[in-house]
Amino acid sequence: CQYAIKLLACVGSKCNESVLKLFMREEEFVYDNRSGKKRKKSDDSNNQFLMLDFAVVEGLLQKEGRNYTFAHDQIQHAAYSLIPEDERVRLHTHIGKSILRYVSDDEVDDVLFLVVDQLNRGAAFLEEEEEKMDLAMLNLRAGEKAMSLATFLISASYLKAGIGLLRKDHWEKYYCLSLELYSLYAEAEYCNGNFQEVGHATGVVIKKAKSFEDKNRIFATLIKSLAAQNKTQEAMHIGFTVVTKLGVERNFSLPDKSVIMKEIMEIKMALAKTTEAELLNFPEMKDNSMITAMKFLQI
């Protein structure tokens, strides 16, 4: 019963039965606190669920549909606090790896946050470089998902965790992963209004990125961040510099308002004479530099 309660406490206040089955199904190596030695413990999932059902009868847990829930948050906190620190790390790692190993490919996204949360809490137990880089990539994936859900604080925490897993020479050995993590982290922190972190992340990418094209995404984030801080002149200077490097020739001084209004009216008149069919038949822009420049001019 204790082992099943420990696993559930590591997950949180509640967990679905289908997810519990993913990490209560195999033999697990545990450490005997008395002897300090590693021993093999039989972890039959059916027996563990019998123990959970017994905990329900005893009032420690509640079962609502297919969800096992601690009867009170304090019970979960107490159960978790009784687990020795080194065992917590191993249990979190076991839970994350087991879910990832047994979940079907089309359901990975449904448990992604849970898997990454568990593996991050057991990151101290990871020794192999490949495992750390795999977890860094999972944090990137979780950060992207959190961004798509507009949960920017959560996204930033995943991305920061991913960055923390990178080795010292990561820009040489894991360039693409490093670029993605730092670029998205800057975007997440911009959304959070954490401009100091935006400045740090953008500075790293500008210094380490191999090409001007790889810096464009971070330049866009930096321009928006500066504008949000009312640093308009700095933002415009960077923007003008970028579009100039992209091949757009223009004067850095703004034209007279009357000139701008005249050009707007000319464009409106030209569009008014164009049918919808003609507009749809216009050739698509193919110049990637000009496409990128247009995006910067829209910031």
Side-chain angles (χ1 to χ4, degrees), residues 152-298:
F152 305 121
L153 285 171
I154 295 174
S155 177
S157 69
Y158 284 127
L159 296 164
K160 189 172 184 178
I163 290 170
L165 288 161
L166 298 172
R167 47 182 286 164
K168 290 183 179 180
D169 61 347
H170 60 91
W171 281 103
E172 289 74 35
K173 195 168 183 180
Y174 301 99
Y175 177 78
C176 291
L177 175 60
S178 301
L179 184 65
E180 285 295 314
L181 280 169
Y182 273 92
S183 298
L184 190 59
Y185 177 62
E187 292 171 13
E189 290 294 31
Y190 161 71
C191 294
N192 292 327
N194 193 350
F195 301 124
Q196 185 175 352
E197 282 297 299
V198 175
H200 170 70
T202 55
V204 172
V205 175
I206 290 170
K207 181 179 179 180
K208 296 291 187 179
K210 294 178 180 179
S211 66
F212 177 71
E213 288 73 20
D214 288 345
K215 298 177 185 180
N216 284 338
R217 180 179 177 185
I218 210 74
F219 275 134
T221 304
L222 180 57
I223 290 169
K224 290 186 287 186
S225 175
L226 290 170
Q229 298 172 76
N230 293 320
K231 298 179 180 179
T232 311
Q233 290 300 319
E234 289 182 54
M236 290 178 64
H237 175 72
I238 294 171
F240 288 153
T241 301
V242 171
V243 296
T244 300
K245 286 188 176 182
L246 289 168
V248 177
E249 296 181 6
R250 54 152 294 149
N251 294 322
F252 280 82
S253 58
L254 293 174
D256 185 76
K257 187 176 179 179
S258 61
V259 175
I260 297 174
M261 293 303 298
K262 180 175 180 292
E263 291 185 356
I264 290 175
M265 291 304 298
E266 288 176 354
I267 293 171
K268 282 187 175 182
M269 291 175 64
L271 289 174
K273 298 176 181 178
T274 306
T275 65
E276 185 176 328
E278 289 174 332
L279 192 61
L280 292 174
N281 283 327
F282 281 165
E284 184 179 347
M285 184 181 288
K286 301 293 184 182
D287 189 326
N288 289 329
S289 293
M290 291 299 102
I291 293 173
T292 303
M294 289 293 290
K295 291 178 180 178
F296 271 95
L297 291 172
Q298 292 172 8

Side-chain angles (χ1 to χ4, degrees), residues 80-97:
Y80 189 72
S81 66
L82 291 173
I83 306 172
E85 185 64 32
D86 59 342
E87 188 179 353
R88 288 182 194 175
V89 172
R90 285 188 291 275
L91 289 175
H92 285 303
T93 303
H94 160 68
I95 292 168
K97 286 185 175 181

Side-chain angles (χ1 to χ4, degrees), residues 52-83:
L52 290 178
D53 290 336
F54 176 74
V56 172
V57 174
E58 291 297 309
L60 297 173
L61 303 178
Q62 296 174 346
K63 190 175 183 184
E64 302 172 356
R66 300 194 67 191
N67 290 325
Y68 284 94
T69 308
F70 279 97
H72 196 281
D73 287 343
Q74 292 301 319
I75 298 176
Q76 188 263 333
H77 293 156
Y80 189 72
S81 66
L82 291 173
I83 306 172

